[in-house]
Amino acid sequence: MSLIEFFRGKAAKEDRFTALVRPHLRLMHRMAYRWTQERADAEDLVQDVLTRLFPRVDELAAVEKLGPWLIKVLYRRYVDLYRRRANSPIDETAPCVSDDQFFQERLEDGHNHYQQLELQRLLNRALFTLDESWRDVVLLHDVEGYTALEVAEILDINVGTVKSRLHRARKKLRSVLEPGTVEVFAAC
Amino acid sequence: MMNCCQARRELDLMQRENNSVLLKHLHRCGECREYAEELRLVNLLRTMPAPQPSEYFEERVLKAALPKRSSAVHGSVRKWQLATAASVLFAVIAALPQWQSSAPTVETAMMQAAISQALPVRVSVDAARAMEGAVISVSLPEHLALEGYGDQRELSWRTNLSAGANRLTLPVRARSGQRNEILIRIEHEGARKEFYVPVDLPAGAELPANNDAASTPQTI
């Protein structure tokens, strides 16, 4: 082993990794929550991704826009885990959005706008009635504010597909906000 | 009368209050109604709340994701303690002066060595910023040698320093119990910094027969 190899110690690698990913951890958690709808699952997913990324610290350092890149890795891992669950003998095909407690806490807070939160709860549940491919686009573009180009890169699809899925998804979601559709989404 | 262009500008700017002229326009213009509904939807989605992660989330996931640094340190300390108990000839912990902000800072230097066998001398260099192509030179006194480098007293190599901690480990073999100092020089883009890492041997430590006398490390 050369002296140069001696010099690049483990501590330096850990510090470099931490410096690179730490600014993006909350964003990763929020995006993981958007997909999993569970705080604990979101944390586990982020941790899993970080564990896998640590050996690739040099690759991370070379990434120009690390935020979207990390979200892409997170998304792929989410899909892998989801598919693995879907292939398990346990039937988890029925989507169940467990946002009740989260929204309830916020609704009970007098400082929040009740009507807006109710509509957002409806929309959140409606999102999980959409086709996954549509939902992914809405979550990234409309909820998190990524550009169509970034969404295309994260999901590995072309921009035209992003726009068409977005258009269809929005059309369906708008129907949720119309009077008379509230009851449909009121229960999980 | 409001046209579609004005109506959409109003919609984009509108906060809470309804504008009666705008409402009239929306009543008769289906396209602007569509636009208004989509805008409402996007605004609701854009402000969709999400829970904050639990307390100490960042620390927890990073700690879990990184290799077990704490256990490695513990292992190192344990090895050091065992070695001390077995009469290691010296173990020095030296606090070294800091550099100016643009240059690396030497935070701590921990050295372990023995006469009978080469042990790693660890020096942690904390660089304020990344330094590509830094040249590191090591000058050894007569009584110290680097394992694998024979009698070479001067060693020099080029490397990239990362911002933050960089660890240099030198496999040092001591040949006598005299006080020794290793000179380490770092050069980068014309700037140069030298520092000495002192290595102290207890009296009589150079004699294998007296090894048992040195039972505790020295701290400088």
Side-chain angles (χ1 to χ4, degrees):
Chain A
M1 184 184 289
S2 72
L3 284 171
I4 297 172
E5 286 169 305
F6 275 122
F7 199 82
R8 290 211 163 275
K10 190 194 286 182
K13 186 178 178 184
E14 289 170 354
D15 291 342
R16 283 168 65 215
F17 181 76
T18 300
L20 284 167
V21 301
R22 195 181 176 103
H24 305 284
L25 290 180
R26 286 189 172 247
L27 166 66
M28 290 174 76
H29 180 274
R30 193 171 70 235
M31 205 60 236
Y33 175 82
R34 303 276 191 215
W35 281 314
T36 63
Q37 293 291 299
E38 287 282 354
R39 293 184 216 203
D41 285 351
E43 194 165 312
D44 288 348
L45 184 60
V46 173
Q47 187 177 307
D48 178 273
V49 168
L50 293 180
T51 304
R52 288 164 168 266
L53 284 178
F54 177 70
R56 298 164 62 185
V57 63
D58 291 333
E59 189 183 343
L60 261 69
V63 174
E64 194 180 344
K65 287 186 175 179
L66 192 57
W69 189 88
L70 288 169
I71 296 302
K72 182 174 186 168
V73 176
L74 187 76
Y75 173 73
R76 286 182 177 176
R77 188 62 184 148
Y78 163 71
V79 170
D80 282 349
L81 292 173
Y82 174 83
R83 285 178 185 158
R84 198 174 297 163
R85 281 185 191 178
N87 291 334
S88 81
I90 302 166
D91 181 13
E92 296 188 62
T93 52
C96 183
V97 183
S98 57
D99 60 2
D100 277 345
Q101 190 187 348
F102 170 60
F103 273 99
Q104 198 58 43
E105 286 167 6
R106 294 180 72 91
L107 285 165
E108 285 169 3
D109 184 343
H111 297 292
N112 291 319
H113 301 294
Y114 183 87
Q115 192 185 11
Q116 179 172 322
L117 275 173
E118 273 295 351
L119 288 172
Q120 285 172 326
R121 174 152 71 172
L122 293 173
L123 275 176
N124 198 43
R125 290 182 175 186
L127 275 168
F128 282 83
T129 67
L130 294 179
D131 182 275
E132 281 175 2
S133 62
W134 293 10
R135 180 167 71 239
D136 292 337
V137 171
V138 174
L139 285 175
L140 288 164
H141 189 278
D142 285 350
V143 178
E144 288 297 325
Y146 288 100
T147 65
L149 204 62
E150 288 171 328
V151 175
E153 175 62 26
I154 290 168
L155 299 179
D156 216 8
I157 54 178
N158 65 53
V159 179
T161 306
V162 171
K163 288 178 179 173
S164 70
R165 285 180 186 174
L166 195 60
H167 178 72
R168 289 178 202 164
R170 281 179 178 176
K171 195 174 176 183
K172 188 162 183 186
L173 289 173
R174 268 169 45 194
S175 68
V176 176
L177 301 178
E178 290 170 4
T181 56
V182 170
E183 288 75 10
V184 176
F185 300 100
C188 180
Chain B
M1 182 160 306
M2 184 178 275
N3 62 31
C4 290
C5 193
Q6 290 168 324
R8 290 179 190 202
R9 194 165 57 241
E10 282 292 311
L11 283 167
D12 288 337
L13 295 171
M14 194 169 66
Q15 298 297 314
R16 291 176 179 281
E17 298 81 13
N18 287 329
N19 178 324
S20 59
V21 183
L22 175 65
L23 288 175
K24 277 182 189 169
H25 178 87
L26 291 176
H27 190 68
R28 63 179 171 77
C29 178
E31 281 188 19
C32 285
R33 258 200 320 277
E34 287 268 311
Y35 182 84
E37 283 169 15
E38 183 135 320
L39 196 64
R40 181 186 179 213
L41 171 69
V42 171
N43 283 338
L44 284 168
L45 289 170
R46 189 58 50 87
T47 55
M48 181 78 78
Q52 292 292 316
S54 51
E55 201 174 10
Y56 306 119
F57 157 72
E58 285 98 335
E59 289 77 9
R60 197 166 48 252
V61 292
L62 281 168
K63 188 180 175 188
L66 295 174
K68 301 292 179 242
R69 184 186 283 185
S70 56
S71 61
V73 169
H74 183 264
S76 169
V77 170
R78 175 84 179 139
K79 195 188 295 180
W80 178 79
Q81 286 170 336
L82 288 173
T84 302
S87 302
V88 168
L89 296 178
F90 62 86
V92 179
I93 300 168
L96 297 171
Q98 293 206 331
W99 288 20
Q100 64 269 30
S101 59
S102 60
T105 58
V106 178
E107 201 171 57
T108 60
M110 175 180 284
M111 294 170 288
Q112 300 175 8
I115 287 174
S116 57
Q117 59 177 330
L119 284 178
V121 169
R122 298 194 184 94
V123 180
S124 175
V125 177
D126 194 2
R129 59 184 171 85
M131 296 181 178
E132 283 194 17
V135 176
I136 298 168
S137 307
V138 173
S139 297
L140 296 158
E142 192 182 342
H143 305 292
L144 292 182
L146 282 188
E147 184 80 357
Y149 287 83
D151 291 331
Q152 236 178 304
R153 306 254 80 82
E154 301 288 333
L155 293 143
S156 186
W157 69 98
R158 187 178 291 275
T159 188
N160 296 332
L161 294 181
S162 306
N166 297 266
R167 184 167 294 175
L168 168 62
T169 306
L170 301 171
V172 170
R173 181 185 292 277
R175 288 174 173 160
S176 81
Q178 295 180 16
R179 182 183 173 91
N180 295 294
E181 285 182 328
I182 300 174
L183 170 63
I184 296 179
R185 183 188 306 120
I186 299 177
E187 294 166 276
H188 181 253
E189 293 179 350
R192 174 170 148 164
K193 183 68 188 176
E194 293 182 350
F195 56 91
Y196 288 90
V197 177
V199 178
D200 235 359
L201 294 174
E206 71 279 13
L207 303 172
N210 293 340
N211 279 359
D212 290 348
S215 58
T216 55
Q218 290 191 3
T219 302
I220 295 174

